Amino acid sequence: MTDLRRLLRGIEVFEGDLPTFDPRETPDEPVALFTNWLLEAVRAGVREPHAMTLSTADAAGDPSARVLILKDVGPDGWQFASDAGSPKGRELAGRPYAALTFYWSPLARQVRIRGPVATADPEVSAADFRARGAAARAEALLARQSRPLADPAERDAAVAGSLARIEADPELVSPGWTLYAVRPRTVEFWQGDKSRRHTRLVYESAPPGWTKHLLWP
């Protein structure tokens, strides 16, 4: 056994007191339960509880994953934003379907969302862009995400130029900035257990409502 393998096997999981989860006491739709879990993560002091992994696929079906920030959740779905010309934007244009994963380690809780992705109206996307901090807007205004960078000084100069543009025109919006929403077909809630008797509850879209059932761990 290698030293790394030994180290990994020795790391304890599910430390501390874990919350209870009774699927019999859950709401009929997943947004309410997700909101409750998110708020519990906030109250528990989980760092960046709104961070999530967005998974997409390209035209060949090859997957990509990255961590983003949740913008909102409601009847329109789970929202996030990006430039339409970014790798994820291009993948979503070709295959408008995605998966989101939240994991709140101190609570041993995971939420998985899968479904088609829709784009918001341009004015809604523009409002989201304007609500960002100046530094975030300046970076997004460049629309160069994931392109090769020869020198960090080039980036700093470009961002400084974007900041100057924003200061001159506070209403300036990146034309490719897009607010997306995953409209879930399935939402799974996973509660870890120290004795490995994990609880998995999945909601499945069944218009006009939802069905829910348990899964084997």
Side-chain angles (χ1 to χ4, degrees):
M1 182 183 295
T2 64
D3 290 341
L4 179 58
R5 181 175 175 81
R6 187 178 297 108
L7 171 66
L8 295 175
R9 290 180 64 87
I11 296 175
E12 185 175 354
V13 294
F14 308 135
E15 294 185 85
D17 295 329
L18 301 182
T20 59
F21 177 45
D22 187 347
R24 296 170 298 182
E25 299 178 355
T26 53
D28 293 332
E29 51 84 22
V31 171
L33 180 55
F34 175 85
T35 302
N36 289 340
W37 275 28
L38 177 61
L39 294 177
E40 287 183 23
V42 172
R43 289 191 290 268
V46 176
R47 291 188 59 183
E48 300 174 352
H50 54 340
M52 61 187 184
T53 299
L54 165 68
S55 300
T56 56
D58 63 16
D62 294 330
S64 297
R66 73 290 286 166
V67 177
L68 299 180
I69 295 298
L70 176 70
K71 292 300 189 80
D72 197 7
V73 60
D76 290 334
W78 274 251
Q79 294 183 349
F80 63 93
S82 182
D83 191 279
S86 68
K88 58 180 131 354
R90 296 194 301 270
E91 289 179 353
L92 288 170
R95 300 171 70 98
Y97 195 92
L100 303 175
T101 307
F102 293 83
Y103 182 57
W104 300 305
S105 175
L107 304 176
R109 281 180 168 173
Q110 179 178 205
V111 181
R112 301 170 61 206
I113 300 115
R114 294 192 302 164
V117 178
T119 57
D121 292 335
E123 59 270 20
V124 177
S125 294
D128 177 81
F129 185 86
R130 296 190 190 99
R132 294 166 62 84
R137 278 181 287 154
E139 185 74 39
L141 196 61
L142 297 173
R144 300 180 188 176
Q145 189 180 85
S146 299
R147 296 183 185 178
L149 175 65
D151 187 340
E154 177 187 358
R155 174 204 60 204
D156 296 342
V159 171
S162 283
L163 281 171
R165 293 178 62 194
I166 290 170
E167 289 172 1
D169 182 5
E171 296 301 305
L172 190 62
V173 173
S174 175
W177 191 255
T178 305
L179 187 66
Y180 297 91
V182 178
R183 295 180 172 173
R185 289 179 180 167
T186 63
V187 183
E188 180 190 325
F189 294 83
W190 182 94
Q191 173 65 67
D193 178 79
K194 290 179 181 292
S195 62
R196 301 303 195 272
R197 298 178 64 184
H198 312 312
T199 301
R200 296 176 64 189
L201 175 69
V202 63
Y203 287 79
E204 295 183 345
S205 177
W210 294 84
T211 63
K212 57 180 177 177
H213 58 270
L214 295 173
L215 299 174
W216 277 85

